[in-house]
Amino acid sequence: GLTSLESIDEFIAVNYRNYRLYRQLFAGTPGLRLLEYDQDEQSNYQYIVAEIDEQAAGLSRDQLAAILKKENILARRYFYPGCHRMEPYRSYFPHSGLLLPETERAVERVISLPTGVAVGCDDIERAAALVRFVIKHADEICARTSVTQRSGGRKKKIQVVH
């Protein structure tokens, strides 16, 4: 940790560059909203988080994550499952999801995209091009492909490109 502090300014600069590039490349992509950082706050831009609107994008966050995984792009569900679904909370409050509809909605829609010093501009351009392609052709992709994936302990049918 202390060694990393020597390079913290470089890490933040790279993360910020990556964030700005994702924002530029995803501008106008239907069904995808990059979560914005407050420019009045200091940040390390450690996470690139996007929200996927299944209706507008034509596919779910899990479907998109599966496609990205097949293409060796390491995107993952962001803060999944919600804290209320983990112990000890799920035992103490098994119906908490009913009281947290916005949390439930966010848990199903957000994805974390690759960033950091090991992720270059070419990597981001490739990932963004694939995401835009998949969203543009979501109906056709979903109609032609499928796979079953576990989600929260239950099986769920999702569509992926083979």
Side-chain angles (χ1 to χ4, degrees), residues 26 29 32 64 68 126-136:
F26 285 143
T29 303
L32 185 144
L64 179 60
L68 293 173
R126 180 177 161 262
L130 178 60
V131 168
R132 289 190 317 266
F133 177 86
V134 168
I135 289 174
K136 182 176 182 178

Side-chain angles (χ1 to χ4, degrees), residues 4 12 19 28 30 36-37 39 42 49 51-52 54 66 73 77-78 80 90 94 101 108 110 114 155 162:
S4 294
I12 292 171
Y19 168 70
E36 294 185 24
Y37 285 94
Q39 297 302 312
Q42 191 172 14
V49 178
E51 182 178 14
I52 307 301
E54 185 172 351
I73 296 171
R77 297 178 289 195
Y78 186 66
Y80 183 89
R90 80 171 163 210
E108 296 297 324
V110 291
K155 283 190 173 183
H162 295 280

Side-chain angles (χ1 to χ4, degrees), residues 20-107:
R20 285 192 338 261
L21 184 56
Y22 274 115
R23 277 190 55 185
Q24 175 190 342
L25 296 173
F26 285 143
T29 303
L32 185 144
R33 181 178 71 87
L34 204 62
L35 272 62
E36 294 185 24
Y37 285 94
D38 185 341
Q39 297 302 312
D40 294 332
E41 299 288 329
Q42 191 172 14
S43 177
N44 63 7
Y45 300 92
Q46 181 177 359
Y47 294 104
I48 306 296
V49 178
E51 182 178 14
I52 307 301
D53 177 342
E54 185 172 351
Q55 295 301 317
L59 75 166
S60 71
R61 180 272 320 268
D62 288 343
Q63 291 169 312
L64 179 60
I67 291 168
L68 293 173
K69 182 179 179 181
K70 288 279 188 184
E71 296 296 325
N72 294 318
I73 296 171
L74 302 178
R76 61 186 184 277
R77 297 178 289 195
Y78 186 66
F79 288 123
Y80 183 89
C83 292
H84 64 288
R85 292 185 185 178
M86 299 186 325
E87 292 299 338
Y89 310 108
R90 80 171 163 210
S91 291
Y92 291 134
F93 309 102
H95 304 294
S96 62
L98 299 173
L99 302 172
L100 302 168
E102 290 303 313
T103 300
E104 287 288 311
R105 183 175 161 275
V107 161

